[in-house]
Amino acid sequence: MSDATYTYQVNIINRESVKVRKTGGNGRSAGNPSGKFGYKGNRKKQIDSLSQKANARTITSDEIQTLGETLFQVLFDDSLRVDFLRTHNELKKEDDTTLRLELGVDEKTLPDVAALPWEFLCAPSNDITGQVWLGTDPNIVLSRTRDLWEPATPIQLDTNEKLRIAVIVSAPTDNPVKVLYEKLWQALQKLAEDNSEKIELLPLVKPATKENIDDLLEDLKPHIFHFIGHGRFQNEAGKEIGEIALMHESGQARWVDAQRFSTLFARHQPGVVLLQACEGGQLSASQAFAGVASQIVQQHIPVVLAMQYEVSNS
């Protein structure tokens, strides 16, 4: 088998059960095991406590490991744990085979479960494998997914068509936190120059007014939409709702909530949307971007990347 993708889709159905859909590299079903969801009792208390520490940035490296291992234990009961680890171990032996682990959670019915930091998932050392950090293991692609009525269309390039990358920078003059984007822009310029036959870096969109973004999406139709700017988790009324700062023509912030921001993609859906809070921004900005991401997914964007915690440009 070469250049194959084995999909292990874990769906948290409700607070009691987990169902798995396994798809082999040939696209055929490889089984549909199920298990019990263990987010309750002492494990729930432990996860909630450590998640709060992660949000407050007071968590230690040992506690991160404990959090990751406990998340793994509540997602995979004993039978699913053995099934997943054996699958992972067998696929590691095959060349050019990727294990795609997709986690599905309905954010409307299980909002607290969807908000957990599943990217910390860690399989404790066991009799099948050593310790495995699922989010960083080179043999695993960990992503979140949700069932849509119609599957989103992945990027399809026509013959001789280049991959179009757009960078949108929102730096309102009435926000004292500087938006750092220059090094990233320079790196993308070099990437485009070194791969000029494959990549087209579109002109920088700055200021990020709604009108400028509309024109970009309608006229240039980027495949990758990379937004850098400010976010906040509470609006001016104190309500917890993800908001992103676009800009007025005057240069001041124009705060829009997750739903309004997602409607920007009603006419054109890029293949990838990347939401990056400005470097050095507060954690609440990262959380806001994560909230906005879930709304964008509903616009049938195949891939949305956002920040749950602070992430540097590098």
Side-chain angles (χ1 to χ4, degrees):
M1 184 184 299
S2 61
D3 296 326
T5 299
Y6 189 109
T7 302
Y8 200 101
Q9 188 178 60
V10 183
N11 292 302
I12 301 175
I13 304 302
N14 49 46
R15 297 190 184 277
E16 301 297 328
S17 60
V18 173
K19 289 186 178 181
V20 172
R21 287 187 291 184
K22 299 195 293 183
T23 307
N26 55 9
R28 296 179 181 177
S29 174
N32 298 284
S34 60
K36 296 180 180 179
F37 187 47
Y39 183 54
K40 59 189 67 175
N42 290 331
R43 283 179 175 170
K44 181 180 185 303
K45 292 179 181 178
Q46 187 175 37
I47 289 173
D48 292 347
S49 174
L50 292 175
S51 294
Q52 290 177 3
K53 285 191 172 184
N55 287 333
R57 289 169 288 180
T58 59
I59 193 168
T60 66
S61 58
D62 287 342
E63 288 173 330
I64 288 176
Q65 179 176 331
T66 300
L67 173 59
E69 292 180 349
T70 309
L71 284 168
F72 185 85
Q73 290 163 351
V74 303
L75 185 62
F76 297 96
D77 66 6
D78 290 341
S79 61
L80 279 183
R81 196 173 307 149
V82 171
D83 183 78
F84 172 76
L85 291 174
R86 283 180 176 171
T87 300
H88 171 251
N89 201 37
E90 288 300 316
L91 291 177
K92 280 199 328 185
K93 302 173 184 177
E94 300 186 21
D95 294 332
D96 300 320
T97 301
T98 300
L99 173 58
R100 181 177 293 277
L101 175 60
E102 297 181 349
L103 177 62
V105 186
D106 188 335
E107 295 179 357
K108 292 184 179 179
T109 58
L110 300 170
D112 56 326
V113 175
L116 293 175
W118 293 105
E119 289 73 18
F120 284 136
L121 277 167
C122 177
S125 184
N126 54 83
D127 56 358
I128 301 175
T129 67
Q131 184 186 66
V132 181
W133 290 89
L134 277 60
T136 57
D137 188 291
N139 299 297
I140 299 175
V141 176
L142 172 63
S143 63
R144 301 193 187 208
T145 184
R146 61 185 303 165
D147 289 328
L148 300 173
W149 288 108
E150 297 178 9
T153 303
I155 295 175
Q156 297 287 345
L157 297 179
D158 295 332
T159 303
N160 298 324
E161 182 182 16
K162 297 181 181 181
L163 184 73
R164 295 184 293 277
I165 301 176
V167 177
I168 299 87
V169 176
S170 184
T173 56
D174 54 344
N175 192 312
V177 179
K178 186 177 181 181
V179 177
L180 303 178
Y181 68 92
E182 291 84 357
K183 288 185 179 180
L184 174 67
W185 179 246
Q186 292 169 4
L188 287 174
Q189 286 179 312
K190 186 177 188 307
L191 177 72
E193 291 172 1
D194 293 344
N195 299 274
S196 58
E197 72 286 356
K198 296 180 180 179
I199 296 176
E200 179 184 0
L201 182 61
L202 301 176
L204 183 70
V205 178
K206 184 176 181 282
T209 64
K210 181 181 181 301
E211 293 72 22
N212 287 344
I213 295 175
D214 280 339
D215 290 343
L216 165 75
L217 292 170
E218 186 169 2
D219 298 338
L220 300 181
K221 295 180 171 52
H223 300 104
I224 298 178
F225 182 99
H226 187 146
F227 179 91
I228 307 174
H230 298 293
R232 64 186 183 190
F233 197 57
Q234 288 187 338
N235 62 15
E236 293 178 351
K239 182 179 179 181
E240 289 192 351
I241 179 172
E243 289 191 326
I244 281 182
L246 298 183
M247 295 175 63
H248 290 287
E249 290 292 345
S250 64
Q252 294 186 323
R254 178 182 183 179
W255 290 98
V256 298
D257 62 27
Q259 186 172 8
R260 288 174 61 196
F261 186 85
S262 70
T263 59
L264 291 170
F265 306 101
R267 282 181 290 184
H268 171 68
Q269 293 80 42
V272 177
V273 171
L274 196 156
L275 302 175
Q276 180 182 342
C278 56
E279 186 164 357
Q282 296 179 349
L283 183 64
S284 59
S286 302
Q287 293 175 318
F289 277 47
V292 173
S294 63
Q295 289 286 338
I296 296 177
V297 170
Q298 297 185 43
Q299 293 292 340
H300 295 272
I301 305 296
V303 177
V304 181
L305 295 100
M307 304 163 61
Q308 192 165 11
Y309 300 96
E310 290 181 13
V311 180
S312 68
N313 275 335
S314 59

mmCIF file of all heavy atoms in Angstrom, residues 135-162:
data_model
loop_
_atom_site.group_PDB
_atom_site.id
_atom_site.type_symbol
_atom_site.label_atom_id
_atom_site.label_comp_id
_atom_site.label_asym_id
_atom_site.label_seq_id
_atom_site.Cartn_x
_atom_site.Cartn_y
_atom_site.Cartn_z
ATOM 1 N N GLY A 135 -1.447 14.347 19.044
ATOM 2 C CA GLY A 135 -1.425 15.603 18.303
ATOM 3 C C GLY A 135 -0.108 15.897 17.618
ATOM 4 O O GLY A 135 -0.046 16.729 16.715
ATOM 5 N N THR A 136 0.971 15.219 18.051
ATOM 6 C CA THR A 136 2.293 15.516 17.491
ATOM 7 C C THR A 136 2.990 14.296 16.907
ATOM 8 O O THR A 136 4.077 14.430 16.353
ATOM 9 C CB THR A 136 3.206 16.132 18.574
ATOM 10 O OG1 THR A 136 3.286 15.233 19.687
ATOM 11 C CG2 THR A 136 2.672 17.477 19.046
ATOM 12 N N ASP A 137 2.390 13.118 17.029
ATOM 13 C CA ASP A 137 2.999 11.921 16.462
ATOM 14 C C ASP A 137 3.069 12.058 14.939
ATOM 15 O O ASP A 137 2.065 12.347 14.287
ATOM 16 C CB ASP A 137 2.159 10.692 16.836
ATOM 17 C CG ASP A 137 2.842 9.388 16.444
ATOM 18 O OD1 ASP A 137 2.950 9.131 15.223
ATOM 19 O OD2 ASP A 137 3.258 8.631 17.335
ATOM 20 N N PRO A 138 4.239 11.868 14.327
ATOM 21 C CA PRO A 138 4.382 12.050 12.874
ATOM 22 C C PRO A 138 3.587 11.052 12.052
ATOM 23 O O PRO A 138 3.378 11.263 10.853
ATOM 24 C CB PRO A 138 5.893 11.887 12.638
ATOM 25 C CG PRO A 138 6.374 11.084 13.802
ATOM 26 C CD PRO A 138 5.515 11.479 14.972
ATOM 27 N N ASN A 139 3.116 9.965 12.687
ATOM 28 C CA ASN A 139 2.358 8.953 11.964
ATOM 29 C C ASN A 139 0.846 9.145 12.078
ATOM 30 O O ASN A 139 0.077 8.334 11.582
ATOM 31 C CB ASN A 139 2.721 7.556 12.485
ATOM 32 C CG ASN A 139 4.189 7.232 12.298
ATOM 33 O OD1 ASN A 139 4.669 7.159 11.185
ATOM 34 N ND2 ASN A 139 4.914 7.069 13.399
ATOM 35 N N ILE A 140 0.444 10.226 12.760
ATOM 36 C CA ILE A 140 -0.986 10.480 12.980
ATOM 37 C C ILE A 140 -1.333 11.906 12.560
ATOM 38 O O ILE A 140 -0.589 12.844 12.861
ATOM 39 C CB ILE A 140 -1.370 10.281 14.470
ATOM 40 C CG1 ILE A 140 -1.086 8.842 14.913
ATOM 41 C CG2 ILE A 140 -2.841 10.616 14.703
ATOM 42 C CD1 ILE A 140 -1.322 8.611 16.398
ATOM 43 N N VAL A 141 -2.448 12.056 11.877
ATOM 44 C CA VAL A 141 -3.006 13.388 11.607
ATOM 45 C C VAL A 141 -4.267 13.515 12.448
ATOM 46 O O VAL A 141 -5.259 12.828 12.202
ATOM 47 C CB VAL A 141 -3.338 13.572 10.118
ATOM 48 C CG1 VAL A 141 -4.004 14.934 9.897
ATOM 49 C CG2 VAL A 141 -2.089 13.445 9.263
ATOM 50 N N LEU A 142 -4.205 14.348 13.476
ATOM 51 C CA LEU A 142 -5.341 14.533 14.382
ATOM 52 C C LEU A 142 -6.124 15.773 13.976
ATOM 53 O O LEU A 142 -5.555 16.862 13.853
ATOM 54 C CB LEU A 142 -4.848 14.678 15.831
ATOM 55 C CG LEU A 142 -5.903 15.074 16.878
ATOM 56 C CD1 LEU A 142 -6.978 14.003 16.989
ATOM 57 C CD2 LEU A 142 -5.238 15.296 18.240
ATOM 58 N N SER A 143 -7.406 15.621 13.767
ATOM 59 C CA SER A 143 -8.244 16.771 13.408
ATOM 60 C C SER A 143 -9.628 16.584 13.993
ATOM 61 O O SER A 143 -10.014 15.479 14.389
ATOM 62 C CB SER A 143 -8.335 16.932 11.889
ATOM 63 O OG SER A 143 -8.954 15.795 11.305
ATOM 64 N N ARG A 144 -10.345 17.675 14.058
ATOM 65 C CA ARG A 144 -11.742 17.617 14.492
ATOM 66 C C ARG A 144 -12.627 17.694 13.263
ATOM 67 O O ARG A 144 -12.279 18.318 12.269
ATOM 68 C CB ARG A 144 -12.061 18.779 15.430
ATOM 69 C CG ARG A 144 -11.186 18.816 16.677
ATOM 70 C CD ARG A 144 -11.769 19.783 17.670
ATOM 71 N NE ARG A 144 -10.882 19.983 18.808
ATOM 72 C CZ ARG A 144 -11.317 20.312 20.025
ATOM 73 N NH1 ARG A 144 -12.606 20.459 20.224
ATOM 74 N NH2 ARG A 144 -10.458 20.492 21.007
ATOM 75 N N THR A 145 -13.788 17.082 13.353
ATOM 76 C CA THR A 145 -14.698 17.103 12.221
ATOM 77 C C THR A 145 -16.124 17.152 12.745
ATOM 78 O O THR A 145 -16.380 16.948 13.929
ATOM 79 C CB THR A 145 -14.501 15.858 11.333
ATOM 80 O OG1 THR A 145 -15.344 15.961 10.182
ATOM 81 C CG2 THR A 145 -14.866 14.581 12.081
ATOM 82 N N ARG A 146 -17.030 17.428 11.848
ATOM 83 C CA ARG A 146 -18.442 17.383 12.210
ATOM 84 C C ARG A 146 -19.202 16.895 10.997
ATOM 85 O O ARG A 146 -18.819 17.145 9.851
ATOM 86 C CB ARG A 146 -18.959 18.749 12.663
ATOM 87 C CG ARG A 146 -18.876 19.831 11.635
ATOM 88 C CD ARG A 146 -19.285 21.172 12.200
ATOM 89 N NE ARG A 146 -20.618 21.143 12.762
ATOM 90 C CZ ARG A 146 -21.090 22.098 13.560
ATOM 91 N NH1 ARG A 146 -20.320 23.100 13.909
ATOM 92 N NH2 ARG A 146 -22.318 22.031 14.023
ATOM 93 N N ASP A 147 -20.272 16.169 11.239
ATOM 94 C CA ASP A 147 -21.063 15.657 10.132
ATOM 95 C C ASP A 147 -21.844 16.793 9.503
ATOM 96 O O ASP A 147 -22.555 17.541 10.177
ATOM 97 C CB ASP A 147 -22.036 14.577 10.620
ATOM 98 C CG ASP A 147 -21.298 13.303 11.008
ATOM 99 O OD1 ASP A 147 -20.259 13.037 10.384
ATOM 100 O OD2 ASP A 147 -21.769 12.601 11.916
ATOM 101 N N LEU A 148 -21.689 16.944 8.198
ATOM 102 C CA LEU A 148 -22.406 17.960 7.446
ATOM 103 C C LEU A 148 -23.379 17.266 6.500
ATOM 104 O O LEU A 148 -23.157 16.142 6.060
ATOM 105 C CB LEU A 148 -21.433 18.826 6.640
ATOM 106 C CG LEU A 148 -20.393 19.595 7.461
ATOM 107 C CD1 LEU A 148 -19.394 20.267 6.536
ATOM 108 C CD2 LEU A 148 -21.074 20.639 8.337
ATOM 109 N N TRP A 149 -24.451 17.968 6.158
ATOM 110 C CA TRP A 149 -25.436 17.376 5.247
ATOM 111 C C TRP A 149 -24.791 17.077 3.903
ATOM 112 O O TRP A 149 -25.069 16.081 3.268
ATOM 113 C CB TRP A 149 -26.611 18.325 5.072
ATOM 114 C CG TRP A 149 -27.487 18.398 6.283
ATOM 115 C CD1 TRP A 149 -27.598 19.429 7.174
ATOM 116 C CD2 TRP A 149 -28.355 17.368 6.780
ATOM 117 N NE1 TRP A 149 -28.487 19.119 8.175
ATOM 118 C CE2 TRP A 149 -28.974 17.865 7.950
ATOM 119 C CE3 TRP A 149 -28.683 16.090 6.339
ATOM 120 C CZ2 TRP A 149 -29.900 17.109 8.686
ATOM 121 C CZ3 TRP A 149 -29.607 15.345 7.075
ATOM 122 C CH2 TRP A 149 -30.201 15.857 8.235
ATOM 123 N N GLU A 150 -23.915 17.970 3.467
ATOM 124 C CA GLU A 150 -23.194 17.755 2.221
ATOM 125 C C GLU A 150 -21.699 17.887 2.504
ATOM 126 O O GLU A 150 -21.273 18.859 3.107
ATOM 127 C CB GLU A 150 -23.601 18.800 1.170
ATOM 128 C CG GLU A 150 -25.072 18.731 0.777
ATOM 129 C CD GLU A 150 -25.430 19.803 -0.226
ATOM 130 O OE1 GLU A 150 -24.507 20.474 -0.720
ATOM 131 O OE2 GLU A 150 -26.622 19.967 -0.498
ATOM 132 N N PRO A 151 -20.903 16.923 2.071
ATOM 133 C CA PRO A 151 -19.465 17.018 2.329
ATOM 134 C C PRO A 151 -18.847 18.205 1.600
ATOM 135 O O PRO A 151 -19.215 18.526 0.476
ATOM 136 C CB PRO A 151 -18.920 15.684 1.792
ATOM 137 C CG PRO A 151 -19.933 15.226 0.796
ATOM 138 C CD PRO A 151 -21.256 15.720 1.309
ATOM 139 N N ALA A 152 -17.914 18.865 2.274
ATOM 140 C CA ALA A 152 -17.229 20.008 1.661
ATOM 141 C C ALA A 152 -16.296 19.526 0.559
ATOM 142 O O ALA A 152 -15.730 18.439 0.628
ATOM 143 C CB ALA A 152 -16.455 20.781 2.725
ATOM 144 N N THR A 153 -16.130 20.343 -0.465
ATOM 145 C CA THR A 153 -15.280 20.000 -1.592
ATOM 146 C C THR A 153 -13.835 20.409 -1.304
ATOM 147 O O THR A 153 -13.574 21.561 -0.986
ATOM 148 C CB THR A 153 -15.759 20.711 -2.870
ATOM 149 O OG1 THR A 153 -17.119 20.357 -3.117
ATOM 150 C CG2 THR A 153 -14.907 20.289 -4.065
ATOM 151 N N PRO A 154 -12.891 19.488 -1.396
ATOM 152 C CA PRO A 154 -11.490 19.847 -1.167
ATOM 153 C C PRO A 154 -10.944 20.687 -2.321
ATOM 154 O O PRO A 154 -11.594 20.833 -3.363
ATOM 155 C CB PRO A 154 -10.785 18.492 -1.089
ATOM 156 C CG PRO A 154 -11.640 17.583 -1.902
ATOM 157 C CD PRO A 154 -13.052 18.061 -1.700
ATOM 158 N N ILE A 155 -9.761 21.251 -2.118
ATOM 159 C CA ILE A 155 -9.131 22.071 -3.159
ATOM 160 C C ILE A 155 -8.876 21.234 -4.409
ATOM 161 O O ILE A 155 -8.277 20.168 -4.338
ATOM 162 C CB ILE A 155 -7.809 22.674 -2.648
ATOM 163 C CG1 ILE A 155 -8.081 23.658 -1.502
ATOM 164 C CG2 ILE A 155 -7.058 23.377 -3.781
ATOM 165 C CD1 ILE A 155 -6.818 24.207 -0.876
ATOM 166 N N GLN A 156 -9.359 21.728 -5.538
ATOM 167 C CA GLN A 156 -9.117 21.072 -6.826
ATOM 168 C C GLN A 156 -8.518 22.110 -7.771
ATOM 169 O O GLN A 156 -9.179 23.090 -8.127
ATOM 170 C CB GLN A 156 -10.429 20.526 -7.405
ATOM 171 C CG GLN A 156 -11.094 19.452 -6.558
ATOM 172 C CD GLN A 156 -10.369 18.131 -6.616
ATOM 173 O OE1 GLN A 156 -9.521 17.918 -7.484
ATOM 174 N NE2 GLN A 156 -10.678 17.223 -5.698
ATOM 175 N N LEU A 157 -7.273 21.920 -8.167
ATOM 176 C CA LEU A 157 -6.609 22.860 -9.067
ATOM 177 C C LEU A 157 -6.759 22.393 -10.507
ATOM 178 O O LEU A 157 -6.593 21.205 -10.810
ATOM 179 C CB LEU A 157 -5.123 22.972 -8.727
ATOM 180 C CG LEU A 157 -4.769 23.526 -7.339
ATOM 181 C CD1 LEU A 157 -3.260 23.558 -7.160
ATOM 182 C CD2 LEU A 157 -5.372 24.893 -7.120
ATOM 183 N N ASP A 158 -7.088 23.321 -11.400
ATOM 184 C CA ASP A 158 -7.126 23.007 -12.818
ATOM 185 C C ASP A 158 -5.704 22.857 -13.349
ATOM 186 O O ASP A 158 -4.728 23.225 -12.681
ATOM 187 C CB ASP A 158 -7.853 24.120 -13.587
ATOM 188 C CG ASP A 158 -9.330 24.212 -13.205
ATOM 189 O OD1 ASP A 158 -9.889 23.172 -12.808
ATOM 190 O OD2 ASP A 158 -9.895 25.318 -13.291
ATOM 191 N N THR A 159 -5.580 22.338 -14.539
ATOM 192 C CA THR A 159 -4.268 22.186 -15.164
ATOM 193 C C THR A 159 -3.575 23.545 -15.256
ATOM 194 O O THR A 159 -4.169 24.527 -15.714
ATOM 195 C CB THR A 159 -4.412 21.583 -16.572
ATOM 196 O OG1 THR A 159 -5.111 20.335 -16.454
ATOM 197 C CG2 THR A 159 -3.048 21.344 -17.201
ATOM 198 N N ASN A 160 -2.354 23.615 -14.770
ATOM 199 C CA ASN A 160 -1.530 24.835 -14.775
ATOM 200 C C ASN A 160 -2.046 25.922 -13.827
ATOM 201 O O ASN A 160 -1.519 27.035 -13.836
ATOM 202 C CB ASN A 160 -1.408 25.414 -16.193
ATOM 203 C CG ASN A 160 -0.723 24.455 -17.144
ATOM 204 O OD1 ASN A 160 0.198 23.734 -16.757
ATOM 205 N ND2 ASN A 160 -1.169 24.435 -18.400
ATOM 206 N N GLU A 161 -3.055 25.626 -13.023
ATOM 207 C CA GLU A 161 -3.540 26.615 -12.061
ATOM 208 C C GLU A 161 -2.648 26.609 -10.828
ATOM 209 O O GLU A 161 -2.234 25.560 -10.338
ATOM 210 C CB GLU A 161 -4.980 26.301 -11.642
ATOM 211 C CG GLU A 161 -5.564 27.337 -10.682
ATOM 212 C CD GLU A 161 -6.982 26.993 -10.240
ATOM 213 O OE1 GLU A 161 -7.394 25.826 -10.428
ATOM 214 O OE2 GLU A 161 -7.661 27.881 -9.704
ATOM 215 N N LYS A 162 -2.348 27.787 -10.325
ATOM 216 C CA LYS A 162 -1.512 27.920 -9.136
ATOM 217 C C LYS A 162 -2.374 27.969 -7.876
ATOM 218 O O LYS A 162 -3.536 28.371 -7.909
ATOM 219 C CB LYS A 162 -0.653 29.185 -9.218
ATOM 220 C CG LYS A 162 0.340 29.200 -10.363
ATOM 221 C CD LYS A 162 1.156 30.475 -10.355
ATOM 222 C CE LYS A 162 2.145 30.508 -11.517
ATOM 223 N NZ LYS A 162 2.966 31.744 -11.499
#
